[in-house]
C-alpha cells in the first residue's frame, strides 16, 4: 500500500471508529434484479449509498453509471403528489424537498409508491416503463453489506500504530466478472463464438447470470433444470432465467438448452461443456472458454468519491468504511 493510500485509509478508519455506533437500518449498498428487457441496464447494477436527501431519506448511485434510486415525496412538485421511491437517470438535488430532479414532472424508469421514506423496499412490485408501457415488475434489492471477516492490517495515525480490523468480502455479483467472451463452440453453434455476455444480476440461489450482446442467449446456474430433481448445472440457454425461481429457471419443465456445465462453481474459464452439435453429431463434449472482458475503468467524480467516504463513515460497519476508503483512494 502506498503512503498516500495508507494516509487516506487512516483518516477514514479513525472517523469510522469514532462514528461506529451510528447504527441504522438503511442498506449501504445493494444489487437490483428483476427489471424488464427495456430496463435491463438496471439489472445487476451495484448501487451505493451517497448520502441523505433534504427530507432525510437515503439516496443511491449506480457504480459507473448515471442511475439513481431515491425517495421523492412529490415528484411533480404540485403539492398533491404521491410519495414514492424512484429509479431515475437524473441525480436528486439535495436542496429540494420535492421534485428532486427539478424537471417539474414525474419522469423516471420505475416507481414504488410508499409512505416509508427511511429505506427502499427489499422486494416488491414496482411500476416500470417497459416498451413505452407502464407494467408491474417484481424487483429484488439484494443488500451487499453482509460480509465474511478476514484479517487486514491498517496503519492508523501518525505514530504508526498498527490495528487489525475485519475487512469485508464482496458479494458474488460485486466480484463476478461484468462481461465474458465465449469461444470454442462446435461448428453447429459457430454463431456463439465471439459473443460477449454481460452480467445482468443474481438469480434466487445467489449466482450471477449473463445475457449475450445479441440479446438471444443467457448463461445461468440452475439447481434443478426440470424441477424434478436434476443435478445442478450451468446452462447456455435461449430463455431468460427467472430471478425468483429456485429451480427450472426458464419455466419449461425440461432440461432444454444449448449447452451445460455440470458440477462447477463458476462458468468462467476453460471447461468441458456438453453441447448440442446438430442432428448428426448430437451431444458432444466441447472445450468452451468464457474469458473475462475488462472494460476501461472510468474515474469517479470528486464529489461522488467524497460522498461515498462520508456515507461509509456514517455506516455502522467499520469494515465497510475501510473498504470504501481503499476503493476511493485507488481511483
Amino acid at each position: 500500500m502506498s503512503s498516500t493510500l495508507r494516509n487516506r485509509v487512516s483518516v477514514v478508519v479513525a472517523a469510522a471508529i469514532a462514528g461506529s455506533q451510528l447504527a441504522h437500518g438503511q442498506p449501504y449498498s445493494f444489487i437490483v434484479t428483476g427489471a424488464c428487457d427495456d430496463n435491463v441496464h438496471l439489472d445487476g447494477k451495484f448501487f451505493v449509498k451517497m448520502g441523505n436527501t433534504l427530507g432525510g431519506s437515503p439516496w443511491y448511485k449506480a457504480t459507473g453509471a448515471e442511475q439513481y434510486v431515491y425517495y421523492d415525496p412529490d415528484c411533480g412538485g404540485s403539492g398533491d403528489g404521491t410519495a414514492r421511491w424512484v429509479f431515475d437517470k437524473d441525480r436528486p438535488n439535495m436542496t429540494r424537498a420535492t421534485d428532486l430532479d427539478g424537471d417539474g414532472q414525474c419522469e423516471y424508469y420505475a416507481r414504488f409508491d410508499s409512505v416509508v421514506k427511511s429505506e427502499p423496499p427489499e422486494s416488491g412490485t414496482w411500476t416500470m416503463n417497459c416498451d413505452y408501457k407502464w407494467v408491474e415488475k417484481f424487483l429484488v434489492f439484494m443488500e451487499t453489506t453482509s460480509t465474511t471477516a478476514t484479517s487486514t492490517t491498517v496503519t492508523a495515525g501518525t505514530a504508526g500504530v498498527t490495528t487489525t480490523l475485519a475487512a469485508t468480502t464482496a458479494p458474488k455479483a460485486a466480484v463476478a466478472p461484468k462481461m465474458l467472451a465465449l469461444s470454442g463452440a462446435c461448428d453447429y453453434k459457430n454463431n456463439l463464438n465471439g459473443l460477449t455476455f454481460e452480467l445482468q444480476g443474481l438469480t434466487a440461489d445467489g449466482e450471477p447470470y449473463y445475457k449475450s450482446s445479441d440479446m438471444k442467449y443467457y448463461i445461468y446456474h440452475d439447481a434443478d433444470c426440470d424441477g424434478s430433481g436434476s443435478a445442478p448445472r450451468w446452462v447456455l440457454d435461449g430463455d431468460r432465467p427467472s430471478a425468483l425461481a429456485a429451480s427450472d429457471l426458464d419455466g419449461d419443465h425440461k432440461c432444454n438448452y444449448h449447452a451445460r456445465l455440470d458440477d462447477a462453481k463458476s462458468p468462467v474459464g476453460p471447461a468441458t461443456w456438453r453441447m448440442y452439435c446438430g442432428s448428426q453429431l448430437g451431444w458432444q463434449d466441447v472445450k468452451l472458454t468464457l474469458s473475462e472482458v475488462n472494460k476501461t475503468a472510468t474515474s469517479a467524480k470528486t464529489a461522488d468519491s467524497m460522498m461515498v467516504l462520508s456515507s461509509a463513515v456514517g455506516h455502522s460497519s467499520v469494515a465497510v468504511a475501510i473498504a470504501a476508503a481503499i476503493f476511493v483512494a485507488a481511483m
Side-chain angles (χ1 to χ4, degrees):
M1 183 183 291
S2 69
S3 59
T4 301
L5 178 57
R6 183 170 58 249
N7 290 339
R8 293 183 186 179
V9 171
S10 299
V11 171
V12 176
V13 168
I17 294 172
S20 61
Q21 295 182 352
L22 300 177
H24 52 72
Q26 299 169 354
Y28 174 71
S29 58
F30 55 81
I31 294 169
V32 178
T33 188
C36 60
D37 284 345
D38 277 4
N39 288 307
V40 73
H41 56 278
L42 298 175
D43 263 351
K45 278 294 192 309
F46 189 53
F47 284 83
V48 178
K49 183 184 175 185
M50 307 301 291
N52 290 328
T53 62
L54 186 63
S57 301
W59 66 281
Y60 302 84
K61 182 182 183 298
T63 56
E66 296 298 317
Q67 293 160 358
Y68 304 89
V69 174
Y70 59 89
Y71 187 78
D72 200 326
D74 180 6
C75 54
S78 62
D80 59 355
T82 301
R84 59 193 54 169
W85 289 93
V86 299
F87 274 99
D88 200 354
K89 62 180 176 56
D90 298 317
R91 179 193 296 257
N93 188 324
M94 298 301 97
T95 66
R96 299 181 66 93
T98 62
D99 185 21
L100 270 62
D101 62 358
D103 62 359
Q105 53 189 332
C106 294
E107 186 173 325
Y108 34 67
Y109 298 120
R111 71 173 183 267
F112 183 88
D113 295 346
S114 177
V115 297
V116 178
K117 69 175 188 176
S118 59
E119 57 184 312
E122 292 182 0
S123 62
T125 302
W126 289 63
T127 302
M128 178 169 282
N129 191 341
C130 301
D131 195 21
Y132 302 102
K133 297 178 183 178
W134 291 102
V135 300
E136 293 185 344
K137 299 296 294 183
F138 191 84
L139 301 185
V140 177
F141 287 29
M142 290 165 287
E143 188 174 356
T144 61
T145 55
S146 59
T147 63
T148 301
T150 57
S151 180
T152 298
T153 300
V154 180
T155 300
T158 56
V161 178
T162 300
T163 305
T164 301
L165 298 171
T168 61
T169 56
K172 282 187 177 180
V175 298
K178 299 300 181 286
M179 186 174 290
L180 302 172
L182 186 148
S183 61
C186 60
D187 290 342
Y188 185 76
K189 299 289 187 183
N190 186 55
N191 62 306
L192 295 171
N193 289 322
L195 282 182
T196 55
F197 289 77
E198 188 166 358
L199 180 67
Q200 301 297 301
L202 298 178
T203 55
D205 63 359
E207 298 291 353
Y209 75 96
Y210 297 83
K211 186 176 184 179
S212 66
S213 54
D214 66 357
M215 315 292 278
K216 294 180 180 179
Y217 303 99
Y218 297 86
I219 295 172
Y220 60 89
H221 185 266
D222 202 326
D224 179 2
C225 54
D226 58 5
S228 61
S230 296
R233 64 197 67 182
W234 290 91
V235 298
L236 173 59
D237 199 356
D239 297 318
R240 179 175 178 170
S242 166
L244 304 176
S247 61
D248 186 21
L249 271 60
D250 61 359
D252 65 357
H253 307 295
K254 304 175 184 177
C255 292
N256 189 16
Y257 36 69
H258 299 286
R260 73 172 186 267
L261 174 64
D262 298 327
D263 300 324
K265 293 183 178 180
S266 169
V268 181
T272 301
W273 289 63
R274 193 71 174 167
M275 174 172 277
Y276 184 72
C277 296
S279 57
Q280 291 185 347
L281 296 176
W283 289 91
Q284 297 286 315
D285 288 337
V286 176
K287 192 68 169 289
L288 289 185
T289 299
L290 287 166
S291 53
E292 183 174 359
V293 177
N294 293 316
K295 287 185 174 181
T296 303
T298 55
S299 298
K301 295 179 182 179
T302 302
D304 285 350
S305 302
M306 294 306 296
M307 277 188 259
V308 169
L309 290 178
S310 175
S311 178
V313 169
H315 194 268
S316 60
S317 170
V318 174
V320 171
I322 298 171
I326 295 172
F327 169 73
V328 172
M331 287 181 176

